[in-house]
Amino acid sequence: MSRISDLQKNLFGGTTSNARQFGMISTLVAIVVLFQIWTDGLTLTSGNLIAVVSQYSYILILAVGMLMVIVAGHIDLSVGSVAAFTGIVVAKAMQEHSLPWPLAILLGLLVGAAIGAWQGFWVAYIGVPAFIVTLAGMMLFRGANQYIGNADTVPVPEGFRKIGAGFLPEVGPDTGYNNLTLLLGVAACAGVVWREWTARQTRREMKADLAPLWVTGVRLAVMIGIIVFATLRFAGGRVGTSLPISGIILIALVLAYSHYTRNTIGGRHIYAVGGNARAAELSGVKLKRVNFAVMMNMSVLAALAGMIFVARSSASGPQDGLSWELDAIAAVFIGGAAVSGGLGTVSGSIVGGLVMALLNNGLQLQGVGSDMVQIIKGLVLLLAVAFDVYNKSQGRFSIIATLTRPFRRDDPAGTAAPPAPASDADKTKIPS
């Protein structure tokens, strides 16, 4: 068992964090391959991949915010209703008051911030559990959506639709591909190489163990290969389509929030609060400020997701946002966040969301009914959390446990040994 652990650490760059990240991607790739075979090659066509990003980007945006809420030890059940309420407010403002669509987007974000401040106040400063506050918000803003919209659909102007249904424009010479998407792919490859190089430099300066150079080369080759494949797929769709604008927004948010949660004091405070709120407060963390901030941030992202959905649908309606909170929560837990808080990553939540999105898409391509899709998605979520609990209690290596490692919370020791009881001080430690 120790030999397997050593091999994993060496192969994935000397850290268990890299091994877990590689495992998450491997799980996603396995699902893609399964449906690629099952659907006779439809899953990885340009049209289908573009449709998946366009259809599920707003859920992945919600997952980014929900991760921070769950890591802090809370839950938000109101995100779907907040998204629907923001959508109808923005649509009404543009239709009835001729508000220009750029200002309408700003209005929507302000509405989300106001709702988040309201709910954050009750959670952080009054002490009402987030579950209760957001359950009330779910009912309140769902009713407000139907009251303002009078249960009717409200269309939105063409310019506004670009954020949900638009694509990168065609520029430059005719190469048979969308040139801007190709440039983004080149930038992504350069970013991966730069990050790997800086990581090795940092470890060398700290006199930490370095993975063999051939391992770095293999890892880079795999990641760059995936990026190139995805770039060509998105850039090679039918004329007029490419990487959706909503996908660009999602990528920007993932990069920004990944940096914030991993490399800033504020991000580390969120993990500290989720690990042990009392110990974090005694260590100087502003507990109320953190709780207020994560709730407010969640509502802002819910407002953004709602506007993207309305833009893609060309209208706001009374059924918008139904069950979105469940999909966002499922994505976060499948992506490896701990039920008790304190653990989880933005990238893991995105992978969890993609697992759900591709599962949903693949089943639909096969003509599976919506009832069975819901049943399968529920079973996937249950099994993901069950494996988390089971593997924590068993503490022994198995093929199944290794394949499902991305679905489980972090193993601080990097082995299959059962965790030792942690003191309050230990619980505030944040994994790198």
Side-chain angles (χ1 to χ4, degrees), residues 47-66:
N48 188 63
L49 289 179
I50 291 172
V52 167
V53 173
S54 182
Q55 291 172 8
Y56 296 99
S57 58
Y58 55 90
I59 295 297
L60 298 178
I61 290 173
L62 289 178
V64 172
M66 190 66 73

Side-chain angles (χ1 to χ4, degrees), residues 79-399:
V79 294
S81 297
V82 171
F85 175 75
T86 303
I88 194 66
V89 168
V90 169
K92 282 280 189 179
M94 289 186 288
Q95 183 192 60
E96 298 181 358
H97 303 284
S98 300
L99 188 68
W101 67 264
L103 292 180
I105 293 176
L106 179 60
L107 171 64
L109 295 177
L110 291 175
V111 169
I115 293 173
W118 164 258
Q119 297 192 140
F121 169 76
W122 285 99
V123 173
Y125 295 99
I126 304 300
V128 181
F131 178 87
I132 300 299
V133 172
T134 58
L135 179 62
M138 179 174 66
M139 295 184 285
L140 193 160
F141 295 111
R142 175 60 58 186
N145 164 266
Q146 297 176 353
Y147 176 78
I148 293 175
N150 196 27
D152 293 328
T153 57
V154 180
V156 294
E158 181 67 28
F160 183 81
R161 298 175 192 174
K162 294 294 184 183
I163 65 171
F167 303 94
L168 288 178
E170 302 287 343
V171 297
D174 184 7
T175 61
Y177 293 95
N178 180 272
N179 292 327
L180 288 181
T181 302
L182 293 178
L183 288 176
L184 279 178
V186 172
C189 291
V192 166
V193 173
W194 177 81
R195 179 178 177 182
E196 190 70 28
W197 182 80
T198 55
R200 286 186 67 88
Q201 290 295 106
T202 301
R203 294 186 66 82
R204 183 178 290 110
E205 291 172 1
M206 297 175 61
K207 301 187 185 320
D209 291 338
L210 283 173
L213 195 58
W214 71 267
V215 172
T216 300
V218 170
R219 189 162 58 240
L220 279 175
V222 171
M223 290 188 290
I224 291 176
I226 293 173
I227 292 172
V228 169
F229 177 82
T231 298
L232 294 177
R233 278 290 186 263
F234 283 107
R238 61 182 174 82
V239 177
T241 64
S242 59
L243 184 63
I245 299 298
S246 57
I248 300 293
I249 296 172
L250 173 63
I251 291 171
L253 289 174
V254 169
L255 293 175
Y257 279 90
S258 293
H259 174 77
Y260 179 78
T261 55
R262 294 167 66 94
N263 301 317
T264 68
I265 294 175
R268 291 181 177 274
H269 283 180
I270 296 174
Y271 284 89
V273 168
N276 190 309
R278 178 60 177 163
E281 190 172 27
L282 292 175
S283 300
V285 175
K286 304 296 183 181
L287 182 62
K288 294 180 179 179
R289 184 181 302 174
V290 170
N291 288 332
F292 181 85
V294 296
M295 299 303 297
M296 185 173 180
N297 176 75
M298 179 72 262
S299 292
V300 171
L301 291 182
L304 177 60
M307 288 188 287
I308 289 175
F309 180 81
V310 168
R312 182 177 179 275
S313 304
S314 303
S316 174
Q319 302 301 312
D320 295 352
L322 288 178
S323 300
W324 286 11
E325 58 278 351
L326 304 182
D327 287 333
I329 292 169
V332 173
F333 285 140
I334 290 175
V339 178
S340 57
L343 294 173
T345 63
V346 172
S347 58
S349 296
I350 294 301
V351 171
L354 287 175
V355 167
M356 296 292 284
L358 289 170
L359 182 67
N360 196 68
N361 175 259
L363 293 172
Q364 288 178 349
L365 289 177
Q366 283 299 103
V368 177
S370 59
D371 49 355
M372 286 303 300
V373 170
Q374 290 296 101
I375 291 172
I376 294 172
K377 287 165 64 177
L379 289 174
V380 169
L381 175 60
L382 179 62
L383 289 174
V385 178
F387 273 124
D388 175 28
V389 175
Y390 175 79
N391 289 311
K392 282 286 184 179
S393 64
Q394 295 300 308
R396 61 170 179 262
F397 174 82
S398 71
I399 295 177

